[in-house]
Amino acid sequence: MIPEGTQVRAGDVVIQLDPSEINDRHAQQRITVTQVNAAAKAAAEELKIQRNLAASAIAEAQLTVTLAELDRRKYLEGEYQVELNDLRGSIALAETDLQDAHDMVEHFEKLVRKGFRTPEQLEAKIQAVERARYALSRDQEKLQVLERFTKERQQVELTAKAAETIRELERVRSSANAAVSKAETDLEVALATAELEREQLRRIEQQLKDCELRAPVDGTVIYAKDKNKKIELGEAVRFKQLMFSLPDLSEMKVMAFVHESEIQQVQAGMSAKIRVDAFPDLPLVGEVAEISTYYDATRHWLSGGVKEYATMISIDRFPADAGIKPGMTAQVTIQVGQLSEGVIVPVAAIAQQSGRSFCFRQSEHRFERVEVTLGKNTEDYVEVLTGLGPGDAVALDSRSRLADDWAAGSQHGESGVPPAAF
């Protein structure tokens, strides 16, 4: 804290708050920001990896679908036709072999009857016929199995495998999209978290800067009071606490407090007389500059419930070299109006009883009580609207006279209340 009364320029440091706790939070927050930035970078890399894995998995599944369809077409349009043609060719050869074997048996039967071949040789040819018949029957059965069962089974199996690869492709796509979506969400969360932590770091850094309370304008440092005590070095401060002000000593104002019963009479622009207690011989004049719309809560509490409204008084031709300092006490008189040129009497001439106003008017050699209607008043004089005329002489001890009348009336049984001063 610089000494009170120091002249400062805009931007000068006036108060330095203890930044120890904020420095600790700043160091911790920097570590947090480093961690969340690393997490955001890792999330970005993980997203790249998931996208790459997704592309590879989908491509592999698509390849499996293509190969499964090719296997199906390969069997139906290739392997099956080759196997079918092979069996048909084998059957044709077997039929030829069987026919040749039959012809050979017939030929050998003729030769045996003529004695050119032996029965044993004929028997061998007969066995060759059986072998050819068996081979033909075997190939015919193979063809039947191929056409009725093997083809259908292979077609069903390969078609099912092709359909399954398509479903697997959809599963791979869904799984890959889910993994990528999760990675994208993780990245968004990481980026948002990093931004929040960086914003928190910026706020802490701003708090560190705010620990230096600088003068917003040129002026003289006046430290604020807290509970009628000026702030001191080492004190704890609270939120919204006023720390200091920089009044312009060449142009000062007076803050006056007007009672709620009189505030309705005060208006902006009314002239005022000011007397500073420290300079009683220095008369000052000014005018009402501003009137608060709400009573001062602090004074209301300190005064036990009295409601007073802060009223700012500007000072005309303020004497900057007179030595007047901020915070000094002053008395203010606000001219709220001017009494008319009618009947005006001193305040001492008026007494009040039961809400009625009286004065004592001189009549020949005595004073008679007269009820009057009052108008505006000042500290010393009051305007009489009815009951008195110009030139009437009145007593200045009306209250005592009214008290005497009240006492005399009480002795005769008249009721009433004691008189009150105006």
Side-chain angles (χ1 to χ4, degrees), residues 294-306:
Y294 195 74
Y295 66 87
D296 188 276
T298 302
R299 291 177 64 88
H300 177 261
W301 180 77
L302 293 175
S303 63
V306 177

Side-chain angles (χ1 to χ4, degrees), residues 60-132:
E60 183 177 356
Q62 289 175 334
L63 177 61
T64 303
V65 170
T66 302
L67 293 178
E69 178 61 21
L70 287 176
D71 287 343
R72 189 183 71 84
R73 291 175 56 195
K74 172 187 174 184
Y75 175 75
L76 293 177
E77 301 175 8
E79 293 177 351
Y80 168 71
Q81 292 297 330
V82 170
E83 190 173 358
L84 179 63
N85 293 334
D86 285 345
L87 287 175
R88 286 176 176 174
S90 296
I91 290 173
L93 291 175
E95 289 176 343
T96 302
D97 291 342
L98 179 59
Q99 184 62 43
D100 291 343
H102 274 295
D103 292 343
M104 186 62 66
V105 169
E106 291 178 356
H107 177 65
F108 266 71
E109 286 177 347
K110 293 177 180 179
L111 292 177
V112 168
R113 285 193 299 266
K114 292 180 179 182
F116 294 113
R117 292 289 189 269
T118 64
E120 290 78 6
Q121 289 177 323
L122 176 61
E123 184 64 26
K125 295 301 179 180
I126 293 173
Q127 291 178 359
V129 170
E130 293 301 325
R131 286 194 299 271

Side-chain angles (χ1 to χ4, degrees), residues 286-312:
E287 66 176 27
V288 177
E290 184 180 351
I291 304 171
S292 176
T293 57
Y294 195 74
Y295 66 87
D296 188 276
T298 302
R299 291 177 64 88
H300 177 261
W301 180 77
L302 293 175
S303 63
V306 177
K307 295 181 180 179
E308 295 178 321
Y309 292 78
T311 304
M312 193 67 67

Side-chain angles (χ1 to χ4, degrees), residues 7 49 78 174 188 197 216 281 289 366-367 391:
Q7 293 286 337
I49 292 172
S174 299
E188 290 176 1
E197 296 297 342
D281 298 327
R366 66 185 182 88
F367 287 89

Side-chain angles (χ1 to χ4, degrees), residues 307-329:
K307 295 181 180 179
E308 295 178 321
Y309 292 78
T311 304
M312 193 67 67
I313 310 297
S314 61
I315 303 175
D316 296 339
R317 297 182 297 277
F318 178 76
D321 56 350
I324 299 177
K325 303 296 184 183
M328 287 184 172
T329 304

Side-chain angles (χ1 to χ4, degrees), residues 15 33 58 105 115 196 309 324 333 351 420:
I15 297 176
V33 168
I58 292 173
V105 169
L196 289 175
Y309 292 78
I324 299 177
T333 301

Side-chain angles (χ1 to χ4, degrees), residues 63 65 75 119 155 159 207 252 260 264 341 344 401 413 417:
L63 177 61
V65 170
Y75 175 75
Q155 184 176 5
T159 301
Q207 290 176 356
M252 300 179 68
E260 61 178 332
Q264 73 276 6
E341 296 180 356
I344 298 174
R401 289 178 181 273
V417 295

